[in-house]
Amino acid sequence: MPTRVKSKRQFAICIRAEEQDLLTPRRIYEILPDESAAKSRYIRVIDDEGEDYLYPSSHFVVVDFPPAVEQALLQAS
């Protein structure tokens, strides 16, 4: 029986925000899967206005949190 692989949630910390209304430096954002964007060095996140949007990956540092921290972040969002 084929098993479905559950994708792991990824998070990133914003280190640069050119538009301060949309991103907040030092804030943690969940990364939404977007392979096409990744090929162009962009990542898709839900910004401060609640919209998912592409931003340069250079504006973020991807962080691997322990599962308990990931759960807490997801419950808080």
Side-chain angles (χ1 to χ4, degrees), residues 25-65:
R26 297 183 300 277
R27 183 174 176 179
I28 299 168
Y29 294 89
E30 182 178 358
I31 299 172
L32 303 178
D34 190 329
E35 291 182 24
S36 176
K39 290 177 184 173
S40 300
R41 298 185 183 184
Y42 280 80
I43 61 174
R44 183 174 297 280
V45 299
I46 298 175
D47 62 23
D48 293 347
E49 292 187 337
E51 300 291 329
D52 69 292
Y53 200 77
L54 295 175
Y55 291 96
S57 58
S58 62
H59 287 48
F60 298 88
V61 173
V62 177
V63 182
D64 231 357
F65 290 113

